[in-house]
Amino acid sequence: MPSIILANSQCMDSLADLHDTVNLSLRNKKRWHLALVTIYCSRAFFPRFKQEEILSRKWGKISPELSSRIILDVVQEHPLFSGVDQSSLIEVVKDKSLDHLAELGRVEGISSSLKTDLQNGITGDLEDISSRHEAFGMNTYRKPPTKSFLHFVWEAFKDPTILILLLCASLSLGFGIKENGPKEGWYDGGSIFVAVFLVISVSAISNFRQNSQFEKLSKVSSNIPVQVLRNGRRQQITIFEIVVGEVVCLKIGDQVPADGLFIEGHSLQVDESSMTGESDHVEINAYQKPFLFSGTKVADGYGKMLITSVGMNTTWGEMMSTISRDSNEQTPLQMRLNKLTSSIGNTEDDNGNKEFNGSRTKADDVINAVVRIIAAAVTIVVVAIPEGLPLAVTLTLAYSMKRMMADQAMVRKLSACETMGSATIIRTDKTGTLTLNQMKVTKFWLGKESPQGKDYSLISRSVLELLYQGICLNTTGSVYRSEISGTDLEFSGSPTEKAILSWAMLELNMDMEAIKRECNVLKVEAFNSEKKRSGVLMKKVEDGRSHVHWKGAAEMILAMCSHYYDIEGDIKDLNDLERVKFDQIIQEMAASSLRCIAFAHKQVLEVEHESGGNHPRIQENGLTLLGMVGLKDPCRPGVKRAVENCQFAGVQVEMITGDNVFTAKAIATECGILHPNQEAKDGMVIQGVEFRGYTDEERMEIVDKICVMARSSPFDKLLMVQCLKRKGHVVAVTGDGTNDAPALKEADIGLSMGIQGTEVAKESSDIVILDDNFASVATVLMWGRCVYNNTQKFIQFQLTVNVAALVINFVAAVSAGEVPLTAVQLLWVNLIMDTLGALALATEKPTKELMNQKPVGRTMPLITNVMWRNLLAQALYQISVLLIIQFRGESILSISKRVNDTLIFNTFVLCQVFNEFNARKLEKKNVFEGIHKNKLFLGIVGVTLILQVVMVEFLKKFADTERLNWGQWGLCIGIAAASWPIGWLVKSIPVTDKPVSSFFSFQNLQGT
């Protein structure tokens, strides 16, 4: 009771305060009074509110135009995070308000309120994470509801042919009951209803499963890894685990995971085009522009940020809630098949109308006949149009995508599955793809000497101090020392950075924390793949002197130097003769497959500034060489075999790397891309600067002869892809950096790296190689060919059925005035072809034989001469036999017309079942090879045969069939089984490689 009295008292105070600021009518005062009493009294009745302090209130602005409406914004602080509320954190970043930020105490004040240590991050224990989730929410977005199974059922119902068949079934059912009574009259109409229901069910189930598969892949692709600081330790978590108060480490190519504020960093530039549409990069700093937005990309530099809003509270969250992955994306092959489908369907329009002879009949008989004619005609069109072709591609793509995930390849774009099968050239990176990306320093040169036996005590102390500074301050890596043991070290960063830090701390005894305390960093120029170097300008706390340190590709750093240190610490002049000796040292290390990194230094008497600004400039000339290290990155096991497999498959493998030409040659030879006797050939090994310097004609002449490109820039990669595509190649390109994005987009298939790849690269790619392994690229190639090959198998199978069904029904309709196959029977055949056939043939696994074929390229027709040979031979056999049974079966076999029609139906279906085996191999005579491995194929064939027996023997009225005796079943099976030896003989007939379209104008049948 006292709580309620207190609440009422507070309500009166609040009303009095409001009266001073807003002039309200008596009626509105009563409403306001009631609202406040309700809010505060509810706190008294709920126990969890009893434990909290009085709510802080933030009154919204009251519109002068709406005097009858009061806008109330009650903001509640979480008891563990006092001094800051969620709405303030959201607004300060969204509004980019520096004044509001100053009111909250800038980054330091907000971090204090959020209980975050800016140097060590949050504690990250379960209780801490849970309280942050409760107070500020989770970093997830509301997605549009997923499509239910009923949605796909409705989509299947909207098919025009299905609607016509349902109408025919309704009419047939109505007139049948009227004519024969409910007991017998429902069979015809009811049979069509059941058959249509089966077709709709199978189609809806297939599409629903495919959509579910795409939803799962979408979740995987959006699960982005993020580097954070927790309890002083740098660790990787997923983007969905980010919480408010988190300290996130950003580097080039990263996606900003949530809204937040800049803490510290150097040369940090962000691409906000996804938010603003502006292509210019925004420079982030602590004073004028500290605001970072979710979904933007880091274009340059590195830094740390404090997360202030997550999930739906971010600007990007509002946008993402309206975006969903389009699982209805059509691939080029599907579009070609849809065109093929419509072109076949448009030619069939004149069936069934011969059934009328204008004699006098009852009105009911006329209507019944019309319904039968329409049902038969529509059903024939349903069978004639190969609607199963797009379904087959969808099934094989969905199946392949699922299996490729298990083989370390995540497909982001459907078209990539099939396009990869047509690839003629693969342009691959070296580091991490051909190699393990496990760097280790194995060689160190100081001056012209290499300390033997790792006896680093010979090195001058002054040189060692400078080397410490160059390694410790000019790095994006970090070191975590375990608090428990105090000796266990954990290194993070890129493999190169980790290798150098590990070498410096474990072998040179560098104290990273002490060096950072003794020096202040003034300016950083971050490393990227174009500059191939990074620099830092620092000042020593002790004497105030400024120093410049550079690190990068050995020959590039050497070109910036005029002097060098020897092992005693003396500075020597770097004349032309000495420069040649250093070049030889670099070449020797490179020839041993080592990556050469050099360190250089210069003491700066006066800090220079960039023109037109106050930013300090890092000097780039007159440096003194400190030393060089050689990093070994071993080739991946199995990469040579994978390269050889691709080459054997007719796909050229070419390596593009930023390393120098000698390292590139050594790695390419080790991986099998180059052979020792090939190195001397003109144009096979080239440097990026040479390729850039060629004229357009010279580039086009040499581009597909290049095996290795060293010291390449991202522009070189893009230029090469453009040249290759102009020459008609289907190009696959691997990439991991932000600057690789243009080449990944330009290529026919962009392959990004899942481990080392930046988010920018992944978004620009079609397939993500999850283990960064070239062997997985070769596997993707094999799966791509499998998709294409499976589609061709199904096309051959279905067109055989189409041709046979159309000719048989057309000839019978014209000559006899009726079709031998009823609507229900034709729908059953359609079900066998479209769905069961697609499932059986589309799920064949890739075989090594696929890698023995030449690449398809851009110009090869979808239906090859081999396929025409196979399908025409089988179709002619089926047409001949079935037409003989149609016109002479009754007299030859001494059977009734009803049994004869059943024989035609049964033989036709069994011919398709046996022909499915022939379709498994387009050219090989042994169609049973590896069949035991495809249990789904055998299962589908078994189910089809069982259902066919049920249709013929037990569903006589439903399927309009008559029971067959053993002899008649044997005849049907014998006729159908004859397709196997016919297929074996036909495959002995040689065919020309010249496409059929060059002889006839059947371009649309070729899928072009």
Side-chain angles (χ1 to χ4, degrees):
M1 194 67 183
S3 299
I4 298 174
I5 294 169
L6 176 62
N8 259 319
S9 172
Q10 291 165 350
C11 290
M12 296 303 104
D13 294 339
S14 301
L15 186 60
D17 293 340
L18 186 66
H19 184 272
D20 294 337
T21 55
V22 184
N23 189 15
L24 300 173
S25 66
L26 180 61
R27 184 182 178 187
N28 285 333
K29 283 181 181 178
K30 288 181 178 179
R31 287 182 177 177
W32 183 238
H33 177 275
L34 180 61
L36 286 174
V37 167
T38 302
I39 291 170
Y40 278 90
C41 287
S42 64
R43 293 181 60 208
F45 286 109
F46 290 100
R48 70 187 185 92
F49 288 122
K50 286 182 180 179
Q51 299 170 2
E52 296 177 359
E53 297 179 1
I54 297 174
L55 289 173
S56 63
R57 295 179 297 279
K58 179 183 173 187
W59 305 106
K61 293 182 180 179
I62 303 172
S63 171
E65 298 176 4
L66 302 171
S67 59
S68 63
R69 186 171 70 182
I70 303 295
I71 300 172
L72 175 66
D73 184 14
V74 179
V75 177
Q76 181 180 352
E77 288 181 4
H78 192 278
L80 295 178
F81 306 103
S82 59
V84 67
D85 57 72
Q86 183 166 305
S87 64
S88 295
L89 291 174
I90 295 169
E91 287 171 11
V92 72
V93 176
K94 280 188 179 179
D95 299 341
K96 296 185 178 181
S97 174
L98 291 170
D99 293 337
H100 194 179
L101 180 61
E103 289 173 11
L104 294 171
R106 303 195 66 81
V107 177
E108 293 77 13
I110 292 175
S111 67
S112 177
S113 299
L114 292 174
K115 293 184 168 43
T116 299
D117 185 329
L118 292 179
Q119 296 303 316
N120 297 316
I122 62 175
T123 58
D125 55 47
L126 288 175
E127 185 179 350
D128 184 32
I129 298 297
S130 178
S131 62
R132 292 176 191 275
H133 281 160
E134 182 185 344
F136 306 107
M138 301 178 70
N139 198 29
T140 54
Y141 306 120
R142 281 198 301 268
K143 295 282 186 182
T146 56
K147 295 174 182 176
S148 66
F149 177 71
L150 291 177
H151 169 84
F152 295 100
V153 172
W154 177 246
E155 287 295 315
F157 262 115
K158 293 193 314 191
D159 189 316
T161 54
I162 293 294
L163 292 175
I164 294 171
L165 283 170
L166 287 172
L167 177 63
C168 292
S170 302
L171 292 172
S172 179
L173 184 65
F175 287 111
I177 291 172
K178 182 182 177 184
E179 201 173 291
N180 302 315
K183 191 173 182 180
E184 299 287 335
W186 69 272
Y187 285 122
D188 285 347
S191 300
I192 298 175
F193 268 123
V194 172
V196 170
F197 172 76
L198 279 173
V199 171
I200 288 172
S201 300
V202 172
S203 175
I205 290 168
S206 298
N207 289 329
F208 177 69
R209 290 189 64 184
Q210 172 209 342
N211 186 71
S212 301
Q213 181 68 28
F214 289 135
E215 288 290 335
K216 289 177 184 176
L217 288 173
S218 179
K219 288 178 183 177
V220 173
S221 63
S222 59
N223 195 9
I224 300 167
V226 181
Q227 292 278 339
V228 298
L229 276 175
R230 287 187 176 178
N231 208 22
R233 183 182 181 184
R234 191 166 170 176
Q235 54 187 277
Q236 184 171 290
I237 62 174
T238 70
I239 193 170
F240 303 124
E241 295 175 305
I242 293 286
V243 293
V244 169
E246 199 90 69
V247 175
V248 176
C249 303
L250 300 173
K251 63 181 185 303
I252 295 177
D254 283 352
Q255 176 177 309
V256 178
D259 288 0
L261 299 167
F262 177 77
I263 300 173
E264 63 179 10
H266 297 282
S267 307
L268 188 66
Q269 292 187 6
V270 175
D271 177 7
E272 294 186 353
S273 58
S274 59
M275 301 291 296
T276 64
E278 298 292 333
S279 58
D280 292 338
H281 296 159
V282 177
E283 186 170 344
I284 304 298
N285 55 58
Y287 299 102
Q288 279 77 38
K289 295 180 180 178
F291 308 106
L292 289 155
F293 295 94
S294 175
T296 58
K297 308 293 190 303
V298 178
D300 200 5
Y302 59 90
K304 294 178 185 174
M305 70 175 290
L306 175 70
I307 301 297
T308 58
S309 305
V310 293
M312 295 304 299
N313 295 323
T314 65
T315 309
W316 186 252
E318 295 174 7
M319 296 169 58
M320 284 296 290
S321 64
T322 62
I323 298 172
S324 64
R325 186 178 179 88
D326 182 15
S327 60
N328 294 322
E329 171 197 0
Q330 281 203 328
T331 72
L333 183 56
Q334 284 175 313
M335 288 187 284
R336 291 168 73 186
L337 290 173
N338 284 334
K339 187 176 177 182
L340 172 64
T341 296
S342 59
S343 65
I344 293 174
N346 288 338
T347 63
E348 309 305 330
D349 210 8
D350 46 5
N351 291 293
N353 288 330
K354 284 278 185 180
E355 202 162 339
F356 268 125
N357 295 316
S359 57
R360 296 177 184 176
T361 53
K362 293 180 181 179
D364 286 355
D365 294 337
V366 172
I367 293 172
N368 281 337
V370 169
V371 168
R372 283 196 302 271
I373 292 164
I374 293 173
V378 170
T379 310
I380 289 171
V381 171
V382 169
V383 177
I385 298 174
E387 291 170 320
L389 293 182
L391 174 63
V393 176
T394 302
L395 286 171
T396 191
L397 286 172
Y399 174 76
S400 301
M401 287 172 71
K402 185 177 179 182
R403 295 305 299 263
M404 285 166 75
M405 275 291 286
D407 288 336
Q408 303 300 316
M410 184 182 73
V411 178
R412 297 186 71 253
K413 294 181 183 176
L414 269 178
S415 57
C417 281
E418 64 193 50
T419 312
M420 191 66 190
S422 307
T424 57
I425 286 183
I426 299 175
R427 293 279 181 186
T428 178
D429 285 337
K430 175 186 76 71
T431 306
T433 308
L434 297 173
T435 61
L436 286 169
N437 208 10
Q438 295 175 358
M439 300 284 188
K440 184 179 181 182
V441 175
T442 59
K443 199 77 173 175
F444 173 57
W445 286 83
L446 183 55
K448 293 181 288 183
E449 296 182 54
S450 177
Q452 296 298 321
K454 298 184 179 178
D455 187 6
Y456 298 121
S457 60
L458 300 174
I459 302 172
S460 165
R461 188 65 195 171
S462 60
V463 175
L464 208 53
E465 286 294 331
L466 292 172
L467 201 56
Y468 287 162
Q469 294 171 14
I471 293 172
C472 174
L473 304 176
N474 188 11
T475 183
T476 55
S478 63
V479 181
Y480 171 75
R481 190 183 297 274
S482 172
E483 294 179 358
I484 300 171
S485 65
T487 55
D488 293 338
L489 299 176
E490 188 176 301
F491 301 94
S492 58
S494 72
T496 302
E497 297 286 7
K498 287 195 290 186
I500 293 173
L501 284 174
S502 171
W503 169 72
M505 294 197 72
L506 299 178
E507 297 186 23
L508 297 184
N509 298 317
M510 180 180 77
D511 187 343
M512 197 167 183
E513 294 175 2
I515 294 166
K516 285 187 174 181
R517 286 195 301 268
E518 295 168 2
C519 305
N520 290 327
V521 175
L522 304 178
K523 166 82 175 181
V524 172
E525 187 171 318
F527 178 90
N528 65 41
S529 55
E530 201 165 343
K531 296 178 291 188
K532 304 196 189 307
R533 65 186 183 194
S534 62
V536 61
L537 174 63
M538 47 76 67
K539 180 185 285 187
K540 292 198 72 174
V541 175
E542 185 181 358
D543 55 17
R545 292 181 179 177
S546 297
H547 298 261
V548 166
H549 285 277
W550 283 96
K551 175 183 72 178
E555 66 267 33
M556 293 187 174
I557 298 297
L558 185 64
M560 299 162 64
C561 296
S562 58
H563 298 81
Y564 70 93
Y565 281 102
D566 64 11
I567 200 163
E568 287 83 20
D570 298 325
I571 298 177
K572 301 290 183 70
D573 184 45
L574 188 60
N575 54 38
D576 292 340
L577 182 62
E578 298 294 332
R579 198 176 293 275
V580 169
K581 292 179 181 177
F582 278 105
D583 283 334
Q584 289 174 347
I585 292 171
I586 294 170
Q587 289 178 22
E588 286 173 9
M589 283 199 288
S592 302
S593 305
L594 299 182
R595 170 176 283 186
C596 309
I597 304 293
F599 300 89
H601 158 266
K602 181 179 183 179
Q603 184 174 330
V604 181
L605 299 177
E606 185 177 350
V607 176
E608 299 179 2
H609 290 82
E610 295 175 358
S611 58
N614 296 322
H615 298 295
R617 188 176 72 85
I618 305 177
Q619 295 184 28
E620 302 179 5
N621 49 27
L623 306 178
T624 302
L625 184 69
L626 279 173
M628 297 183 294
V629 292
L631 291 87
K632 181 69 175 176
D633 186 11
C635 282
R636 286 184 177 273
V639 74
K640 189 170 184 179
R641 172 65 62 85
V643 169
E644 288 172 351
N645 289 342
C646 290
Q647 291 170 339
F648 191 71
V651 179
Q652 187 178 342
V653 181
E654 302 171 1
M655 186 178 82
I656 302 180
T657 178
D659 281 336
N660 75 39
V661 68
F662 299 101
T663 306
K665 276 185 184 180
I667 294 291
T669 303
E670 195 174 341
C671 294
I673 294 172
L674 270 183
H675 300 292
N677 59 341
Q678 285 183 312
E679 293 182 19
K681 292 185 179 179
D682 291 338
M684 298 200 77
V685 180
I686 196 172
Q687 295 197 62
V689 66
E690 294 178 60
F691 186 70
R692 256 172 280 149
Y694 287 141
T695 64
D696 193 50
E697 292 77 16
E698 289 172 333
R699 272 197 296 269
M700 291 298 290
E701 184 180 346
I702 199 173
V703 68
D704 49 5
K705 297 176 184 175
I706 298 171
C707 288
V708 176
M709 181 183 283
R711 286 291 179 233
S712 64
S713 70
F715 175 74
D716 298 327
K717 187 180 285 191
L718 175 61
L719 190 61
M720 182 172 281
V721 171
Q722 290 170 339
C723 291
L724 286 168
K725 287 181 72 175
R726 280 164 56 194
K727 289 199 79 171
H729 288 284
V730 179
V731 188
V733 168
T734 70
D736 55 9
T738 303
N739 291 330
D740 290 329
L744 289 169
K745 283 184 177 179
E746 181 68 24
D748 296 289
I749 313 103
L751 302 156
S752 64
M753 300 297 110
I755 299 172
Q756 291 299 317
T758 64
E759 290 309 312
V760 177
K762 290 176 187 175
E763 285 191 10
S764 302
S765 66
D766 306 305
I767 297 174
V768 180
I769 305 300
L770 299 176
D771 61 354
D772 290 13
N773 193 346
F774 183 81
S776 298
V777 177
T779 304
V780 171
L781 175 66
M782 188 163 65
W783 271 109
R785 291 192 172 189
C786 181
V787 169
Y788 199 88
N789 190 249
N790 285 351
T791 306
Q792 286 185 314
K793 291 175 185 177
F794 182 73
I795 289 171
Q796 176 183 298
F797 168 70
Q798 184 155 36
L799 290 186
T800 304
V801 186
N802 290 142
V803 172
L806 281 173
V807 173
I808 292 165
N809 280 290
F810 179 77
V811 171
V814 170
S815 59
E818 61 182 18
V819 290
L821 301 174
T822 65
V824 172
Q825 291 171 355
L826 286 172
L827 284 171
W828 169 235
V829 171
N830 195 52
L831 187 67
I832 294 172
M833 287 191 313
D834 282 1
T835 308
L836 298 179
L839 274 171
L841 294 171
T843 54
E844 287 276 353
K845 295 179 182 177
T847 61
K848 292 181 180 178
E849 296 164 15
L850 292 171
M851 299 298 277
N852 298 339
Q853 301 169 6
K854 293 180 181 178
V856 175
R858 296 184 187 277
T859 56
M860 190 174 291
L862 184 59
I863 305 177
T864 63
N865 291 353
V866 168
M867 293 167 66
W868 280 120
R869 176 197 66 191
N870 296 342
L871 74 88
L872 288 176
Q874 293 292 341
L876 285 171
Y877 167 68
Q878 291 178 23
I879 291 165
S880 303
V881 172
L882 293 174
L883 284 179
I884 290 171
I885 297 174
Q886 167 70 16
F887 294 110
R888 293 286 181 266
E890 292 177 42
S891 58
I892 294 172
L893 302 172
S894 301
I895 53 178
S896 66
K897 185 179 186 307
R898 191 175 173 85
V899 173
N900 194 62
D901 287 344
T902 304
L903 271 177
I904 293 172
F905 167 59
N906 198 35
T907 304
F908 184 70
V909 170
L910 292 178
C911 279
Q912 311 323 317
V913 173
F914 279 81
N915 195 38
E916 266 186 286
F917 288 86
N918 287 326
R920 289 188 67 245
K921 305 289 181 183
L922 297 179
E923 295 191 65
K924 291 192 74 172
K925 293 182 178 180
N926 183 7
V927 296
F928 304 106
E929 184 180 337
I931 198 168
H932 61 283
K933 295 179 182 177
N934 194 344
K935 293 181 174 58
L936 184 60
F937 180 91
L938 294 173
I940 288 170
V941 169
V943 168
T944 306
L945 289 172
I946 291 169
L947 290 176
Q948 180 62 18
V949 171
V950 171
M951 287 276 284
V952 172
E953 297 294 323
F954 303 103
L955 300 177
K956 295 193 295 179
K957 298 213 170 172
F958 171 80
D960 197 18
T961 58
E962 193 67 39
R963 282 192 172 186
L964 302 178
N965 59 38
W966 287 104
Q968 290 161 350
W969 269 102
L971 177 65
C972 295
I973 294 171
I975 293 170
S979 64
W980 285 349
I982 288 171
W984 189 88
L985 290 170
V986 165
K987 287 174 182 176
S988 303
I989 302 171
V991 291
T992 178
D993 291 332
K994 194 174 183 181
V996 175
S997 58
S998 61
F999 300 103
F1000 307 101
S1001 58
F1002 289 166
Q1003 291 185 2
N1004 54 359
L1005 292 181
Q1006 295 292 337
T1008 56

